[in-house]
RNA sequence: CGGGGUGUAGCGCAGUUUGGUAGCGCAUCUGGUUUGGGACCAGAGGGCCGCGGGUUCAAAUCCUGCCACCCCGACCA
């Protein structure tokens, strides 16, 4: 490709809307443009990268035995109503109606649609196991699209669904997908971790997330250096030590605590540390109010609370001040489990049961109880764990202190069990002629998100540093001065030679000064640059790797093709 | 959805306080010089100043309603 024919509008300045490196660089390198919030167009360079990531995913899925299909993005409401996810999925679903008012959505995921595809025609155990996948555009009306391709409302995803006879089969399929994902992200050159995840709206079995580690990531993962434990902060089980407690239960007593509403205030007021208090957090969950009681020195984990309540995220929010006043008869800051409005369900983190003689809100402005004790003074539904993990917490597996890091969730795998086959009645006849539910799994890779993740892990002050396997082109040939016949002719020759050798090469034939060409080449991130300049008359050119741009090597023109092929092979390309 | 902010040329911004010819840098076009790290000179094109109402002789500027976009918080591939 000649650069004069390539639509790659690069920008010198950073668009003000772009906050993180991948978004800024994708915009500046002329790879994407925003259409509306959370919706992007892919220009030629960006499209080539997207296709390459897609192809790596496709190859590894095919290698795993999964079969590619293509489903519509438009899905009828009826299928979603069968699993009751039409309501459960909530406002994130893009919904639309046809001319006769029939309801549809733009698919945010395809469990229902794939299950429907196989439910009438997979009838026998002989047809199982089966695994189908597609690489297709997904739609989610995110509350807050952000960070360019990382959180967009339209995105390219590979989604796969496995169908098995029983749990053992499902676990086997799950492992196969895990292995395939390891191969995919390894080929993409990613630094990633596989972490236990919370299944959320997808299912209720185990799930794992493949997280590309980087500073701007939106997921927090907790992991252990001493063993293989790793989980998202939503999922990670917390081990929370409760300090030595009083031996005897003391008498409950109401005390004045003027203007002492927060845990910090309480610590100052009583001179106790935060672990001597119990917080009572009020939430509105599907039109009712719930109270979550947790040790005062820890933070709640709303995902765990949602799971305990069995509701979806969009059905719960922190209670507003008005609601707090109504159920506690007090200003915000004095909520406690004693004397709360009787319709409020009280959930208690199990660690509270180990605490003795602690301080709680009295549901009366400027009053707290001291010496409160669970069981004697109040009760509630005890939940094992409602807390958010912290750096330094004991690893639930081995007890070593946990470490936390950020990352981008680029893939996930879910054990679905019969969550979808049951409501959709996807069954088969086993060897005994008995009808059985199909056991399912679902498996996602964020293809467009992976493009952004690769950039987050591979860039420098000058631009993108593409791994060759996903680079839009492998090589840029840069004649320094296109008016110089020697340079122009040698550059043209190298361009042809490289093309003939199967290398994806761009000839920067623009009438620009060298600085402009170098800046653009580094911004776009071609893995290899061959500059044809003053050495052209002697058949000498400059050979530079993007990942080591300061290191310039002068080589003979005859060596170029061999050197390029050698480098690209070393980076995992078949040439 | 709550809080904050911004909408002026393709990109980055000034101008709005105090109403009076719509500007600057980059990019683009023409001509010339230049050619190893985002050149220089001369000239040129490009604007529903987010949209609708209102006030005024006069609105980018004041009032008002709406919309879009961005950031922070809670959710996901």
């Amino acid at each position: 490709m000649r650069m004069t024919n390539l639509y790659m509008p690069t920008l010198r300045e950073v668009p003000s809307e772009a906050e993180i490196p991948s978004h800024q660089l994708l915009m500046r390198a002329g790879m994407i443009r925003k259409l509306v919030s959370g919706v992007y167009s892919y220009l030629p360079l960006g499209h080539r990268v997207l296709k390459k990531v897609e192809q790596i995913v496709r190859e590894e899925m095919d290698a795993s035995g999964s079969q590619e299909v293509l489903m519509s993005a438009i899905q009828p409401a009826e299928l979603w109503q069968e699993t009751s996810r039409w309501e459960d999925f909530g406002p994130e679903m893009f919904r639309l109606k046809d001319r006769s008012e029939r309801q549809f959505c733009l698919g945010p995921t395809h469990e229902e649609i794939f299950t429907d595809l196989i439910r009438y025609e997979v009838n026998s155990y002989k047809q199982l196991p089966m695994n189908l996948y597609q690489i297709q555009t997904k739609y989610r009306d995110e509350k807050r699209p952000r960070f360019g391709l990382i959180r967009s409302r339209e995105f390219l995803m590979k989604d796969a669904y496995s169908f098995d006879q029983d749990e053992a089969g499902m676990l086997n399929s799950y492992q196969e997908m895990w292995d395939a994902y390891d191969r995919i992200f390894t080929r993409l050159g990613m630094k990633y971790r596989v972490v236990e995840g919370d299944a959320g709206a997808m299912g209720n079995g185990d799930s794992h997330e493949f997280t590309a580690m980087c500073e701007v990531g939106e997921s927090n993962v907790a992991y252990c250096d001493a063993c293989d434990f790793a989980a998202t902060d939503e999922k990670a089980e917390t081990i929370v030590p409760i300090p030595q407690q009083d031996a005897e239960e003391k008498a409950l007593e109401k005390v004045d605590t003027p203007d002492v509403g927060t845990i910090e205030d309480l610590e100052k007021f009583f001179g106790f540390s935060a672990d001597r208090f119990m917080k009572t957090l009020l939430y509105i969950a599907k039109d009712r109010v719930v109270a979550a009681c947790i040790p005062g020195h820890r933070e709640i984990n709303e995902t765990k609370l949602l799971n305990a309540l069995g509701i979806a995220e969009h059905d719960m929010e922190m209670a507003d001040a008005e609601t707090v006043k109504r159920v506690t008869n007090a200003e915000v800051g004095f909520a406690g489990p004693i004397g709360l409005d009787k319709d409020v369900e009280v959930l208690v983190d199990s660690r509270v049961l180990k605490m003795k003689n602690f301080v709680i809100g009295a549901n009366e402005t400027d009053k707290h109880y001291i010496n409160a004790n669970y069981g004697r003074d109040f009760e509630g539904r005890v939940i094992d764990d409602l807390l958010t993990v912290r750096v330094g917490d004991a690893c639930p597996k081995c007890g070593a202190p946990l470490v936390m890091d950020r990352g981008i969730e680029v893939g996930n795998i879910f054990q679905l069990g019969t969550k979808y086959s049951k409501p959709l009645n996807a069954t088969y006849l086993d060897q005994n002629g008995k009808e059985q539910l199909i056991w399912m799994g679902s498996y996602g890779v964020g293809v467009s998100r992976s493009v952004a993740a690769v950039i987050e892990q591979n860039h420098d002050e000058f631009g993108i540093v593409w791994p060759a396997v996903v680079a839009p082109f492998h090589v840029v040939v840069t004649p320094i001065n296109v008016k110089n016949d020697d340079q122009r002719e040698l550059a043209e020759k190298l361009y042809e030679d490289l093309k003939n050798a199967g290398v994806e090469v761009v000839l920067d034939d623009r009438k620009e000064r060298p600085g402009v060409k170098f800046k653009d080449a580094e911004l776009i991130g071609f893995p290899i640059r061959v500059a044809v300049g003053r050495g052209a008359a002697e058949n000498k050119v400059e050979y530079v790797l993007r990942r080591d741009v300061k290191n310039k090597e002068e080589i003979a023109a005859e060596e170029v093709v061999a050197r390029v092929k050698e480098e690209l092979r070393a980076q995992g390309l078949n040439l």
Side-chain angles (χ1 to χ4, degrees), chain A residues 462-511:
Chain A
F462 306 113
I464 304 169
V465 186
W466 289 115
V469 290
V470 292
F473 288 91
H474 304 142
V475 179
V476 60
V477 174
T478 308
I480 298 300
N481 182 352
V482 290
K483 286 188 182 167
N484 178 297
D485 291 340
D486 289 336
Q487 295 184 21
R488 195 184 59 248
E489 283 164 21
L490 183 54
E492 289 279 354
K493 179 175 183 308
L494 289 172
Y495 171 60
E496 291 301 328
D497 290 350
L498 286 164
K499 261 203 303 191
N500 293 334
V503 174
E504 296 176 14
V505 54
V506 174
L507 177 67
D508 192 349
D509 56 343
R510 297 176 299 170
K511 292 181 180 59

Side-chain angles (χ1 to χ4, degrees), chain A residues 527-570:
Chain A
I528 303 171
R529 180 175 77 212
V530 177
V532 182
R534 43 184 177 254
E538 295 83 48
N539 253 7
K540 298 274 192 192
V541 300
E542 181 185 86
Y543 177 86
V544 183
L545 297 181
R546 177 63 184 86
R547 63 166 184 268
D548 187 15
V549 77
K550 295 267 161 63
N551 188 8
K552 297 168 183 164
E553 186 182 354
E554 189 168 76
I555 65 173
E558 293 74 31
E559 293 178 57
V560 167
V561 171
R563 284 294 296 273
V564 164
K565 288 173 83 167
E566 182 193 355
E567 172 63 25
L568 294 177
R569 286 197 190 110

Side-chain angles (χ1 to χ4, degrees), chain A residues 399-420:
Chain A
L402 290 176
V403 186
M404 293 192 71
D405 253 322
R406 303 177 71 80
I408 300 168
E409 184 187 351
V410 287
N412 60 26
I413 53 180
F414 295 104
Q415 295 173 13
L416 300 176
T418 56
K419 177 177 164 121
Y420 296 91

Side-chain angles (χ1 to χ4, degrees), chain A residues 331-546:
Chain A
E331 294 297 319
V332 176
F334 302 94
I338 303 175
L340 212 49
D341 185 288
K342 63 180 180 347
D343 294 330
V344 176
E345 187 190 3
V346 177
L347 279 67
V348 181
D349 180 83
S350 62
R351 270 60 63 104
V352 169
L353 274 61
K354 296 182 190 159
M355 296 167 63
K356 252 185 197 167
N357 301 331
F358 46 88
V359 179
I360 60 175
N363 293 322
E364 195 175 321
T365 301
D366 294 340
K367 305 271 187 196
H368 279 80
Y369 285 113
I370 60 172
N371 300 327
N373 286 285
Y374 182 82
R376 183 191 69 181
D377 303 317
F378 66 95
E379 288 189 330
R381 179 148 70 93
V382 177
I383 307 296
D384 271 358
D385 183 9
L386 287 175
L387 306 181
T388 301
V389 70
R390 263 189 207 165
V391 176
D393 277 0
C395 169
K397 258 186 159 170
C398 76
L402 290 176
V403 186
M404 293 192 71
D405 253 322
R406 303 177 71 80
I408 300 168
E409 184 187 351
V410 287
N412 60 26
I413 53 180
F414 295 104
Q415 295 173 13
L416 300 176
T418 56
K419 177 177 164 121
Y420 296 91
S421 55
K422 198 169 184 181
L424 291 164
N425 200 33
T427 61
Y428 69 96
L429 292 180
D430 67 14
Q431 289 88 330
N432 305 315
K434 201 170 164 237
E435 189 172 50
Q436 303 283 0
L437 287 171
I438 293 175
W439 283 67
M440 292 175 56
S442 78
Y443 315 93
V445 170
V447 176
S448 42
R449 180 181 276 186
S450 291
V451 171
V454 168
I455 297 175
E456 289 300 335
Q457 293 188 346
N458 297 280
H459 68 274
D460 62 16
E461 58 192 303
F462 306 113
I464 304 169
V465 186
W466 289 115
V469 290
V470 292
F473 288 91
H474 304 142
V475 179
V476 60
V477 174
T478 308
I480 298 300
N481 182 352
V482 290
K483 286 188 182 167
N484 178 297
D485 291 340
D486 289 336
Q487 295 184 21
R488 195 184 59 248
E489 283 164 21
L490 183 54
E492 289 279 354
K493 179 175 183 308
L494 289 172
Y495 171 60
E496 291 301 328
D497 290 350
L498 286 164
K499 261 203 303 191
N500 293 334
V503 174
E504 296 176 14
V505 54
V506 174
L507 177 67
D508 192 349
D509 56 343
R510 297 176 299 170
K511 292 181 180 59
E512 290 287 353
R513 294 167 60 85
V516 173
K517 294 184 177 184
F518 290 151
K519 289 287 183 194
D520 274 344
E522 280 150 19
L523 179 59
I524 292 166
F526 303 101
I528 303 171
R529 180 175 77 212
V530 177
V532 182
R534 43 184 177 254
E538 295 83 48
N539 253 7
K540 298 274 192 192
V541 300
E542 181 185 86
Y543 177 86
V544 183
L545 297 181
R546 177 63 184 86

Side-chain angles (χ1 to χ4, degrees), chain A residues 34 54 57 185 217 234 271 307 516:
Chain A
K34 185 177 73 182
E54 182 184 322
V57 172
F185 296 117
E234 296 172 340
N307 289 339
V516 173

Side-chain angles (χ1 to χ4, degrees), chain A residues 180-357:
Chain A
Y181 280 25
D182 274 332
R183 294 194 302 271
I184 288 167
F185 296 117
T186 300
R187 280 182 69 182
L188 290 174
M190 269 186 199
K191 294 178 276 292
Y192 68 96
R193 275 179 191 280
V194 186
V195 308
E196 293 174 32
D198 180 80
M202 288 302 172
N204 36 28
D206 280 1
S207 78
H208 286 84
E209 299 183 358
F210 287 69
T211 305
M213 305 313 296
C214 69
E215 283 177 13
V216 300
E218 295 182 287
S219 358
N220 279 304
V221 305
Y223 60 95
C224 176
D225 283 328
C227 72
D228 62 354
F229 175 81
T232 68
D233 63 344
E234 296 172 340
K235 171 78 177 178
E237 186 190 330
T238 57
I239 309 286
V240 176
I242 299 299
Q244 187 66 42
Q245 299 290 312
D246 297 340
E248 299 293 321
E249 290 188 357
K250 298 180 186 166
L252 185 71
E253 190 180 334
K254 191 186 283 183
V255 297
D256 281 319
T257 52
D259 293 325
V260 181
T262 68
I263 291 289
E264 261 184 37
D265 293 342
L266 284 164
E267 289 188 83
K268 267 187 220 152
F269 184 86
F270 286 101
F272 299 158
S273 59
D275 52 27
R276 300 289 306 276
F277 304 92
M278 187 192 80
K279 305 195 243 208
T280 304
L281 303 164
L282 296 166
Y283 285 88
I284 298 174
K286 272 198 171 172
D287 305 326
R288 65 194 175 116
V289 180
V290 299
C293 298
I294 62 171
H297 63 306
R298 299 296 299 216
E299 300 301 316
I300 190 144
N301 181 323
E302 293 190 356
T303 303
K304 292 176 182 173
L305 179 59
L306 287 167
N307 289 339
L309 294 167
I311 60 173
E313 183 278 332
H314 60 264
D315 283 327
M316 186 180 87
E317 59 181 359
M318 203 87 193
D320 54 285
E322 202 174 300
T323 305
V324 172
K325 283 179 197 172
R326 180 171 60 77
V327 299
T328 64
N329 287 313
E331 294 297 319
V332 176
F334 302 94
I338 303 175
L340 212 49
D341 185 288
K342 63 180 180 347
D343 294 330
V344 176
E345 187 190 3
V346 177
L347 279 67
V348 181
D349 180 83
S350 62
R351 270 60 63 104
V352 169
L353 274 61
K354 296 182 190 159
M355 296 167 63
K356 252 185 197 167
N357 301 331

